Amino acid sequence: MKSPDKPREAPTFDSVAEFFAQALAIEVEASERYSELADQMEVHNNHTIADIFRKMASIEGLHRDEIRRRAGATLAGGRPASFSWLAPEGPEAIDFGELHYKMTPRQALMLARHNEERAVKYFEAIAAAANDPEIKAFALTMAEDERHHVVMVDQWLDKYDPDDPDWAEDLDPPVISE
Ligand code: ZN
């Protein structure tokens, strides 16, 4: 999927090992951030959203494990990669410790959405730049999965009136497939 507005942060890779290292960094970050968001939502006594984030943490954890499995020994040869979740409004990496008691469920969902979208664009860019057909195919699969996560978060955001301070208090349990 070639596009002229390819994100500037999109990397190209000299080797399969580098690709896997980057993909792994994206999924490790997502899994850890979702776990932290879940903890934060429990501070807010919002167990519904906490459960959603736990579910997302485990889905991203499965991605992480899948990448590790596929990468196998190549990971050891790759340079270390990093990926940090960013706040929707700025280019700074997020200090989660500072946000602990401040973040509302809606802000948490917006944060998740922003970074799911970044993951989509990142994997799409990887696929577009890849010469190796195996990398291209795998990156496209990952992009599709991440796109599905954006939809899942959107579905949650759509359920609530943004102006209602109690917007998340009285939900039926969510049904999340996958
Ligand atoms: Zn995701």
Side-chain angles (χ1 to χ4, degrees):
M1 205 168 170
K2 289 221 159 74
S3 116
D5 58 342
K6 205 164 82 174
R8 243 170 302 158
E9 62 185 2
T12 55
F13 296 95
D14 296 331
S15 69
V16 175
E18 281 183 31
F19 161 71
F20 277 126
Q22 186 59 58
L24 185 63
I26 291 172
E27 301 301 339
V28 166
E29 172 78 352
S31 182
E32 286 177 2
R33 290 318 187 196
Y34 273 121
S35 293
E36 289 181 27
L37 286 176
D39 291 345
Q40 288 172 24
M41 291 305 102
E42 264 152 27
V43 170
H44 284 267
N45 250 345
N46 192 319
H47 302 293
T48 303
I49 304 294
D51 287 350
I52 293 167
F53 287 147
R54 295 248 180 261
K55 174 88 180 170
M56 297 301 281
S58 99
I59 292 170
E60 308 290 16
L62 291 174
H63 277 169
R64 177 199 58 212
D65 296 345
E66 168 74 4
I67 290 165
R68 280 213 180 103
R69 192 184 64 75
R70 284 190 179 231
T74 63
L75 268 182
R79 277 179 295 175
S82 70
F83 187 82
S84 298
W85 270 28
L86 303 180
E89 64 273 9
E92 302 287 310
I94 293 165
D95 182 341
F96 267 70
E98 275 185 15
L99 291 175
H100 195 86
Y101 289 100
K102 294 184 200 160
M103 188 176 282
T104 66
R106 188 174 176 81
Q107 286 170 330
L109 285 165
M110 291 299 291
L111 173 65
R113 190 192 192 288
H114 179 69
N115 288 284
E116 293 290 0
E117 200 138 61
R118 284 180 66 223
V120 171
K121 291 194 175 131
Y122 210 88
F123 278 116
E124 280 177 349
I126 289 171
N131 295 318
D132 182 319
E134 189 198 346
I135 290 180
K136 190 183 282 285
F138 188 57
L140 284 174
T141 302
M142 298 303 292
E144 195 179 323
D145 284 359
E146 300 302 345
R147 206 174 296 120
H148 181 57
H149 297 171
V150 174
V151 172
M152 287 166 76
V153 173
D154 271 346
Q155 285 168 348
W156 278 100
L157 282 165
D158 282 351
K159 281 181 201 289
Y160 309 110
D161 179 351
D163 299 317
D164 178 359
D166 300 323
W167 63 277
E169 293 308 313
D170 296 305
L171 300 174
D172 292 321
V175 179
I176 296 177
S177 57
E178 200 159 346

